[in-house]
Amino acid sequence: MDENNNILALHLVEIDRESNRAVPFTQEFRAHGFDIYWDSLDPTELTFMFVNHQRTGDGISIFRHKIGTKYLQHVKTVKSPLLYAPNDVVAMSRGTFYATNDMRSTSRIMRQIEIFFGMAWGHIVYYGHEGMFTTAAAGISYPNGIARSADGNTIYVAASSEPSVNMFRPASDGTLVLVGKTVFKDFVPDNVSVDTTTGQVLVSGFLNTFEMFRYNHEVLSGTSARPAAAVRRLRPLAYPHKGFAVENVLAHDGTLLPATTMATLQNKRGVQRILLGSVMADHIAICRAGSRI
């Protein structure tokens, strides 16, 4: 969506090996979390990475996009036994990324038990330049949304079942070293996004977990559930080792956008807006307060 609120459709394509021409994407595409990477060395191209829940197995589908066109060209889809419950992905370069596995269990009953008891069985995987998956961090209670700082030196992960936002430092071998966390009370974080100009982190989440579970269970058949949601802002303190100051930015009773799972900033002619999204909705909400958020 641009500054004039125009929503532009991007079409998925792949290169046919025989004709060397772009044709519609032939793989199954069931997207979940995604990220967009911009490289200053080539500002005309973006890299899109999607968690793709294909029936043949979960993977990360990578596409390139030339700015000004209407196409996402498939580069590759990568899979691994280590990537068995992916939720979100953050690009570190055009070909490397971290992805969250929110749970260890694969059966429906065990996943419900894992969520209910807040088991710290989730982990984060790293896909490096060598084309190999490795475990970057483990022992996390439902690692959900993931994002990176502008310089790539900090990785933020929403641990929904703790509930907290964990902060990691990437090591040279791709492993993640925990350097701090912000723990919440009466708030379950879902996704995180970073304002690259200020270093502030927006965290979207829920105020009533059971109402959220009821909404997810009943939404396709009709539900009266309206899970209340909120957005918290983490402001870096003067001394990095002190962590963040937590600020309440927005809260709603669920009628604004049911099951709000995402919040990100957009600059519109010098005014900041918060864009809210939901994995269960076919629209977004745009919020602003005066001339600044």
Side-chain angles (χ1 to χ4, degrees), residues 39-62:
D39 191 338
S40 59
L41 297 178
D42 185 1
T44 65
E45 184 172 304
L46 300 174
T47 299
F48 284 68
M49 296 188 182
F50 296 91
V51 172
N52 192 353
H53 294 300
Q54 296 178 334
R55 291 182 177 87
T56 55
D58 294 323
I60 304 297
S61 292
I62 303 175

Side-chain angles (χ1 to χ4, degrees), residues 6-293:
N6 296 314
I7 298 178
L8 306 177
L10 297 177
H11 305 282
L12 303 182
V13 300
E14 61 187 47
I15 300 300
D16 180 74
R17 293 184 179 180
E18 295 184 1
S19 65
N20 200 35
R21 299 181 63 180
V23 298
F25 187 52
T26 58
Q27 291 187 26
E28 186 178 27
F29 188 68
R30 304 172 69 195
H32 192 169
F34 75 97
D35 193 27
I36 303 173
Y37 182 82
W38 177 77
D39 191 338
S40 59
L41 297 178
D42 185 1
T44 65
E45 184 172 304
L46 300 174
T47 299
F48 284 68
M49 296 188 182
F50 296 91
V51 172
N52 192 353
H53 294 300
Q54 296 178 334
R55 291 182 177 87
T56 55
D58 294 323
I60 304 297
S61 292
I62 303 175
F63 295 81
R64 66 165 57 101
H65 170 65
K66 278 291 184 181
I67 296 175
T69 71
K70 297 182 179 180
Y71 301 98
L72 294 180
Q73 180 184 320
H74 183 241
V75 177
K76 61 181 177 180
T77 296
V78 293
K79 299 181 179 182
S80 168
L82 289 178
L83 192 71
Y84 52 80
N87 186 302
D88 198 12
V89 60
V90 62
M92 299 301 291
S93 70
R94 287 180 173 174
T96 63
F97 60 82
Y98 289 100
T100 56
N101 277 317
D102 51 31
M103 285 185 280
R104 185 177 70 184
S105 306
T106 55
S107 71
R108 182 177 179 180
I109 293 178
M110 286 303 300
R111 286 173 69 87
Q112 290 177 341
I113 292 175
E114 193 170 333
I115 291 175
F116 185 81
F117 288 102
M119 311 301 290
W121 290 350
H123 68 277
I124 303 168
V125 297
Y126 176 66
Y127 183 80
H129 291 288
E130 302 81 7
M132 300 292 292
F133 280 89
T134 57
T135 299
I140 307 170
S141 297
Y142 203 98
N144 202 329
I146 185 170
R148 64 191 285 270
S149 60
D151 58 11
N153 291 330
T154 305
I155 300 297
Y156 302 97
V157 179
S160 298
S161 293
E162 189 167 10
S164 69
V165 168
N166 293 351
M167 287 152 273
F168 295 92
R169 184 182 69 252
S172 58
D173 61 356
T175 56
L176 293 175
V177 179
L178 182 66
V179 294
K181 66 174 59 181
T182 297
V183 179
F184 301 101
K185 182 180 180 181
D186 300 325
F187 175 71
V188 178
D190 190 299
N191 276 303
V192 290
S193 66
V194 178
D195 181 355
T196 56
T197 60
T198 65
Q200 297 174 14
V201 181
L202 282 187
V203 186
S204 54
F206 310 106
L207 302 175
N208 188 323
T209 306
F210 290 103
E211 190 76 351
M212 178 61 186
F213 288 154
R214 187 166 77 90
Y215 181 87
N216 288 343
H217 182 71
E218 300 174 353
V219 63
L220 295 179
S221 58
T223 179
S224 60
R226 289 294 183 269
V231 177
R232 303 284 189 260
R233 176 158 45 196
L234 307 185
R235 293 182 180 271
L237 296 175
Y239 300 96
H241 69 278
K242 294 287 187 179
F244 292 83
V246 181
E247 176 187 352
N248 298 327
V249 175
L250 180 151
H252 65 86
D253 61 4
T255 57
L256 176 63
L257 186 69
T260 301
T261 55
M262 181 277 293
T264 190
L265 286 176
Q266 182 194 47
N267 288 309
K268 180 180 172 66
R269 301 184 183 93
V271 177
Q272 285 188 328
R273 312 191 301 179
I274 291 183
L275 308 182
L276 301 179
S278 170
V279 70
M280 297 292 186
D282 59 359
H283 60 283
I284 65 173
I286 303 172
C287 303
R288 64 177 180 268
S291 60
R292 301 288 294 179
I293 289 176

